[in-house]
């Protein structure tokens, strides 16, 4: 456990945290900083064994014994609230909260739901001999969409003093899952940069070369094949010098390795290979610099990202980039067409091509959209605003 200012009220914070590489881990770093910089709360990140991931019955029992030991050791002394970050693969955080709720039923807790987690399937993954038998794995996952799976999720969410969701559409969807009597609050996604680091070259327009950035873990729902097809058409149909920067790639557990390799093969054989720069995973201390060398950010998802807006989208807005994104909720809650970016229909190469070429050929529009996106991120998603909303909720449920 980390040290903290004794004057601050303590939150027992269940979350993946660096060196774990995930969007939720990145979010947790910035959220913790915001809460501690602008409120009198301290978020104590819980040290958990990395070997316990929560995807087997033995793991779930190990989590029980860990929570029991924390209770014996007095880890919950002076804790006002438990707060858990929950997402699609946050099995450990979910089951840790599950056992805390049962062993300490009077301790209030809140949850940020990035996406509803899988909670039945992980406990049965041993049936698929690890992660090799994909058909069995996917069959197990269907259990999470049955009454049993939804009931287990609802049993935790419905007892939460407050559940945060990072988009309006996500809050509505969660209400349908757990019922109208649950205290569900929309919390703005948080911008990731400090005010001092927002000094982007917004007063200049790059006329010589345009860098288009894609960043994020590579997955078939991200529209990467669509983007590679589009960038070939863009380069052939514009006189401007254009480069595509491909950042991200492998998940930490290399689960998407086969897909990443297929994308690298497409790039290798692309007729515009010289205009595509594969950056790979960008270290945290180099993320801002990567955005600052870019002019346009593209998010060509072929499927909605779920309950939460994209964290990397928030970074792009805060960096003042002109943005082209697929018209999906909740992306379109922040990217408003011709105000904070350009929205295009899903799976439409022509629409994506026209939007990119328009921004390439219209530098004034590129600058205008970047400035307005940055203003939106700074105003609607500021660390101060997020901290104030969360702190008020913490105070109300800890009384």
């Amino acid at each position: 456990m980390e040290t903290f200012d004794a004057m601050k009220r303590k939150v027992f914070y269940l979350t993946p945290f660096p060196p774990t590489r995930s969007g939720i881990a990145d979010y947790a770093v910035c959220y913790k900083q915001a809460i501690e910089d602008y409120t009198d709360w301290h978020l104590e990140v819980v040290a958990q064994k990395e070997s316990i991931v929560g995807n087997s019955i033995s793991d779930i029992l190990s989590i029980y014994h860990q929570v029991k030991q924390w209770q014996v050791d007095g880890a919950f002394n002076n804790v006002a609230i438990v707060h858990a970050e929950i997402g699609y693969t946050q099995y450990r955080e979910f089951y840790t909260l599950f056992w805390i709720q049962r062993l300490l039923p009077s301790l209030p807790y809140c949850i940020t739901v990035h996406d509803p987690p899988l909670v039945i399937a992980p406990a049965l993954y041993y049936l698929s001999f690890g992660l090799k038998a994909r058909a069995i794995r996917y069959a197990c996952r269907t259990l999470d969409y049955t009454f049993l799976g939804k009931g287990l999720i609802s049993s935790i969410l419905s007892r939460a003093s407050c559940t945060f969701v990072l988009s309006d559409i996500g809050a509505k969807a969660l209400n349908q899952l757990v019922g109208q009597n649950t205290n569900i609050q929309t919390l703005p996604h948080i911008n990731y940069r400090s005010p001092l680091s927002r000094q982007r070259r917004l007063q200049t327009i790059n006329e010589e070369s345009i860098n288009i950035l894609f960043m994020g873990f590579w997955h078939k729902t991200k529209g990467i094949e669509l983007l590679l097809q589009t960038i070939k058409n863009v380069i052939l149909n514009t006189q401007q010098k254009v480069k595509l920067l491909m950042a991200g790639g492998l998940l930490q557990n290399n689960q998407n390795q086969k897909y990443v390799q297929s994308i690298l093969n497409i790039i290798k054989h692309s007729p515009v290979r010289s205009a595509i720069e594969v950056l790979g995973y960008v270290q945290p201390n180099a993320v801002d610099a990567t955005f600052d060398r870019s002019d346009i950010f593209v998010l060509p998802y072929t499927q909605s990202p779920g309950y939460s807006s994209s964290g990397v989208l928030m970074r792009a807005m805060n960096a003042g980039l002109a943005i082209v994104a697929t018209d999906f909720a909740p992306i379109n809650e922040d990217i408003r067409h011709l105000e904070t970016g350009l929205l295009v229909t899903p799976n439409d190469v022509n629409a994506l091509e026209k939007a990119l070429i328009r921004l390439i050929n219209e530098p004034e529009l590129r600058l205008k959209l970047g400035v307005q996106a940055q203003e939106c991120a700074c105003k609607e998603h500021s660390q101060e605003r997020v901290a104030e909303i969360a702190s008020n909720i913490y105070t109300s449920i800890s009384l």
Side-chain angles (χ1 to χ4, degrees), residues 11 26 37 51 64 129 191 252 286 299 303 325 361 369 378 386:
V11 177
D26 292 343
D37 283 353
S51 59
Y64 166 79
F129 306 101
N191 64 41
Q252 189 166 16
L299 202 69
Q303 182 177 311
N361 292 338
L369 294 179
C378 294
V386 171

Side-chain angles (χ1 to χ4, degrees), residues 205-210 240 363-364 366:
I205 299 174
N206 188 354
E207 299 283 6
E208 297 181 0
S209 177
I210 302 298
Q240 184 71 270
E364 292 81 8
R366 197 166 68 236

Side-chain angles (χ1 to χ4, degrees), residues 4-248:
F4 70 102
D5 185 340
M7 298 298 293
K8 285 180 175 275
R9 292 175 286 178
K10 186 162 69 171
V11 177
F12 202 78
Y13 195 33
L14 300 172
T15 180
F17 215 72
T20 299
R21 283 161 43 186
S22 75
I24 295 180
D26 292 343
Y27 172 87
V29 170
C30 194
Y31 179 78
K32 173 178 164 62
Q33 178 184 345
I35 294 295
E36 296 184 347
D37 283 353
Y38 296 104
T39 78
D40 62 351
W41 291 92
H42 165 73
L43 273 59
E44 184 163 329
V45 178
V46 182
Q48 293 180 273
K49 294 180 180 178
E50 289 298 322
S51 59
I52 301 176
V53 296
N55 65 352
S56 69
I57 292 175
S58 62
D59 274 1
I60 293 169
L61 292 175
S62 294
I63 292 170
Y64 166 79
H65 292 298
Q66 184 177 60
V67 173
K68 190 70 176 175
Q69 190 61 50
W70 286 339
Q71 187 179 19
V72 171
D73 294 342
F76 297 104
N77 292 348
N78 302 317
V79 169
I81 308 166
V82 175
H83 187 163
E85 301 287 345
I86 298 296
Y88 189 62
T89 60
Q90 306 321 124
Y91 323 131
R92 182 174 63 186
E93 286 72 25
F94 180 87
Y95 279 109
T96 302
L97 184 61
F98 177 87
W99 291 122
I100 288 175
Q101 194 275 327
R102 276 151 181 78
L103 292 171
L104 296 99
S106 63
L107 183 59
Y109 65 89
C110 63
I111 305 170
T112 300
V113 177
H114 296 260
D115 286 293
L118 295 174
V119 294
I120 301 294
L124 300 178
Y125 276 174
Y126 71 96
L127 294 175
S128 64
F129 306 101
L131 298 176
K132 295 180 180 179
R134 288 182 176 271
I136 298 176
R137 260 181 69 213
Y138 291 136
C140 290
R141 287 185 179 183
T142 61
L143 293 173
D144 278 288
Y145 301 100
T146 65
F147 178 80
L148 179 64
K150 291 180 179 179
L152 181 55
I153 295 171
S154 295
S155 71
I156 294 298
L157 298 186
S158 63
R159 293 186 177 96
S161 298
C162 181
T163 298
F164 295 122
V165 189
L166 305 182
S167 71
D168 291 333
I169 191 70
K172 292 177 182 177
L174 196 61
N175 258 318
Q176 293 179 348
L177 177 65
V178 299
Q180 299 294 324
N181 294 328
T182 305
N183 181 19
I184 296 175
Q185 301 286 336
T186 301
L187 185 69
H189 210 301
I190 196 166
N191 64 41
Y192 289 82
R193 291 174 127 191
S194 67
L196 293 178
S197 68
R198 295 189 189 124
Q199 303 294 326
R200 185 175 151 70
R201 47 182 172 82
L202 290 174
Q203 303 306 315
T204 61
I205 299 174
N206 188 354
E207 299 283 6
E208 297 181 0
S209 177
I210 302 298
N211 286 339
I212 300 172
L213 174 66
F214 172 89
M215 179 179 284
F217 294 117
W218 296 4
H219 188 269
K220 60 183 180 181
T221 64
K222 299 290 186 74
I224 298 173
E225 294 98 329
L226 183 84
L227 175 59
L228 294 175
Q229 174 62 41
T230 302
I231 205 67
K232 180 181 71 173
N233 298 345
V234 167
I235 290 172
L236 295 175
N237 290 292
T238 183
Q239 300 299 315
Q240 184 71 270
K241 183 180 178 182
V242 176
K243 175 173 279 190
L244 175 64
L245 307 178
M246 293 292 296

